Amino acid sequence: MLARGRTESTPMGRNDKGDWRTLCIPVDVPILSILNTTRIAVSSGTQETSIYAGQSVQAVLYITTTLYWGVGSTENQHLLRYDINAESEGNWLVSGSKRGEYIAKDDSTLERQITLVPLRHGLLTLPKVSVVPAMDPAVAYPEDTPSCETHQMHAAERISVLPRSARATYI
């Protein structure tokens, strides 16, 4: 017979007295004022047809902003600047505006039409998009600029681009 209602097997993590053991580890948790999620979606018409090197492709840029993770911030909107970094790998050319500014509010989504031109064939990753706070001289920010981070939802997505075939024969 066991004393004080204990069973034969002691649950993991309990000592002989039946008390739970605890371990406290202090960790600094970063405070993030602005979290952006970006996605480039290639229009559905081009997904059924083949894409060739040098052929323009219509796409939509989505930037979703949340201010949920900021602590103690009284601002409910920020002026942000986005930049489509197509030159980083040399795979894409952006036709039209690749930079812009917008006012981001909590749980708001920016939607912009863009045109991409693949410069080579193969499995190409879509261009990265960076979003940073824009310094507006009319708005007085606190001593430091708000912290901002961007998550690329399309980071692992690849587009299959076929080589351009020559239509003329030279003799």
Side-chain angles (χ1 to χ4, degrees), residues 28-46:
D28 289 333
V29 178
I31 296 172
L32 192 60
S33 300
I34 306 166
L35 178 63
N36 298 298
T37 304
T38 64
R39 181 170 59 99
I40 296 178
V42 177
S43 53
S44 60
T46 56

Side-chain angles (χ1 to χ4, degrees), residues 57-141:
V57 177
Q58 297 298 318
V60 181
L61 168 65
Y62 297 99
I63 302 174
T64 304
T65 304
T66 182
L67 307 175
Y68 177 77
W69 300 103
V71 176
S73 177
T74 58
E75 293 185 58
N76 58 0
Q77 64 183 21
H78 293 277
L79 181 64
L80 300 179
R81 178 178 292 129
Y82 69 90
D83 186 12
I84 302 171
N85 303 319
E87 299 87 24
S88 60
E89 296 177 15
N91 294 333
W92 297 94
L93 176 69
V94 179
S95 177
S97 177
K98 65 178 216 160
R99 287 187 191 96
E101 291 184 352
Y102 68 101
I103 295 177
K105 298 179 181 177
D106 193 23
D107 292 327
S108 64
T109 301
L110 173 76
E111 183 177 327
R112 292 281 192 264
Q113 296 289 328
I114 59 173
T115 303
L116 300 172
V117 179
L119 298 177
R120 63 180 191 89
H121 64 279
L123 287 174
L124 306 181
T125 57
L126 290 168
K128 304 279 188 265
V129 179
S130 62
V131 181
V132 296
M135 300 314 272
D136 184 9
V139 177
Y141 280 113

